Amino acid sequence: KQEVTQIPAALSVPEGENLVLNCSFTDSAIYNLQWFRQDPGKGLTSLLLIQSSQREQTSGRLNASLDKSSGRSTLYIAASQPGDSATYLCAVKGNTPLVFGKGTRLSVIA
Amino acid sequence: NAGVMQNPRHLVRRRGQEARLRCSPMKGHSHVYWYRQLPEEGLKFMVYLQKENIIDESGMPKERFSAEFPKEGPSILRIQQVVRGDSAAYFCASSPGQVQPQHFGDGTRLSIL
C-alpha cells in the first residue's frame, strides 16, 4: 500500500529565503508525481508534474526533483515571497488512485 | 475554458438528512475522481468514475455513500443519513485520461449540525 510522507509539516521563513520541501513515498512503482498548492478554503492548484522517467521539472521559481528508486521528491522554492504562503501537497500516481501526503504548511514572513 | 465546477461551495445538513454534491468536469474530460479532506488530514481518494461507469470505489465507505456520473449532466456524490463524522471538504477532480494530470475544483465544504 502506497504511503506518502511530507516533511516538515509546517515551515516559517523570512521573505527572500530559498527553501526545500520534502516528499517521500514507499512504493517506487509510480507513473508520476505531482506537487500542488492549496490556499485556505480553496481547491488544489497543480504546480508541477514529474513523469516517472524524468528527474526534474521547473516552472519559474519552482523546481521539483524526483528520485524514484529512493522514493523521494523535493520541491525547491527560490527567493520566497509572502504570496507563496500556502499548503503544499505532494501526490503520487501508480496503479492505485492518487495518494496524497498531508502537506507542508508554509508561511513566508515579510 | 472553465475549470472543474463544484456546487454548492458550502452545504449544511442536519444529522439524518441527505447531502448531494455536484461536479462538472472540465470540457473534454471523461474521468472524474472524488476525494475527501478531513480537518488536519490529507486528501483521501473515494471513487473514480468514467462516464456512466464506476471504475474504482475502493475508498468509498460501504454504506450511505454513492456516486454516479451519468451520460448527461454532472457527477453526483450522494451521502444518505449524514452523521457528524461526514463533515469535511469534498473535492472533485477530472482528467482526460487515467494517467494524465487531474484538475481539481474548489471543493464543497459539508457541515453536519
Side-chain angles (χ1 to χ4, degrees):
Chain A
K1 179 187 170 186
Q2 180 72 273
E3 293 183 4
V4 179
T5 304
Q6 291 188 245
I7 295 172
L11 182 63
S12 183
V13 299
E15 182 178 5
E17 273 205 5
N18 303 323
L19 57 100
V20 175
L21 308 181
N22 297 291
C23 171
S24 61
F25 46 97
T26 54
D27 186 351
S28 61
I30 64 170
Y31 292 121
N32 57 56
L33 181 146
Q34 260 180 290
W35 283 94
F36 293 90
R37 168 185 173 138
Q38 185 176 27
D39 293 284
K42 297 287 188 179
L44 279 67
T45 300
S46 181
L47 298 173
L48 290 164
L49 179 144
I50 312 177
Q51 301 291 354
S52 62
S53 57
Q54 296 175 320
R55 297 285 293 183
E56 65 178 334
Q57 281 287 336
T58 297
S59 175
R61 294 182 294 109
L62 305 179
N63 175 277
S65 68
L66 173 64
D67 184 342
K68 202 174 78 158
S69 61
S70 67
R72 292 180 183 179
S73 176
T74 61
L75 179 66
Y76 175 82
I77 303 178
S80 58
Q81 303 170 358
D84 295 331
S85 298
T87 296
Y88 291 80
L89 299 169
C90 166
V92 297
K93 177 74 180 78
N95 285 325
T96 57
L98 265 184
V99 179
F100 284 83
K102 290 187 178 181
T104 293
R105 191 165 56 252
L106 173 66
S107 297
V108 181
I109 312 301
Chain B
N1 187 16
V4 177
M5 304 300 291
Q6 289 188 250
N7 67 80
R9 290 294 309 279
H10 301 274
L11 182 60
V12 180
R13 285 288 178 267
R14 296 188 181 280
R15 282 178 295 171
Q17 291 184 320
E18 178 180 287
R20 283 188 178 230
L21 288 62
R22 296 175 188 79
C23 170
S24 296
M26 285 183 69
K27 188 176 181 180
H29 288 191
S30 60
H31 298 247
V32 166
Y33 312 81
W34 286 93
Y35 297 84
R36 177 165 64 176
Q37 186 175 38
L38 293 166
E40 303 303 320
E41 294 287 327
L43 273 79
K44 302 290 187 187
F45 166 78
M46 297 182 76
V47 62
Y48 162 35
L49 308 104
Q50 185 184 3
K51 275 300 181 182
E52 299 185 274
N53 294 306
I54 295 175
I55 307 300
D56 183 345
E57 57 181 348
S58 58
M60 285 273 273
K62 293 289 186 283
E63 298 176 350
R64 303 188 297 109
F65 285 71
S66 63
E68 62 177 12
F69 187 16
K71 189 177 180 180
E72 301 290 338
S75 175
I76 306 288
L77 179 67
R78 182 182 177 205
I79 312 172
Q80 295 177 291
Q81 300 173 345
V82 296
V83 301
R84 288 242 170 92
D86 297 332
S87 295
Y90 292 82
F91 290 94
C92 171
S94 73
S95 69
Q98 188 178 2
V99 295
Q100 290 162 288
Q102 296 178 20
H103 297 259
F104 282 77
D106 282 344
T108 293
R109 271 94 186 146
L110 176 63
S111 298
I112 309 302
L113 301 180

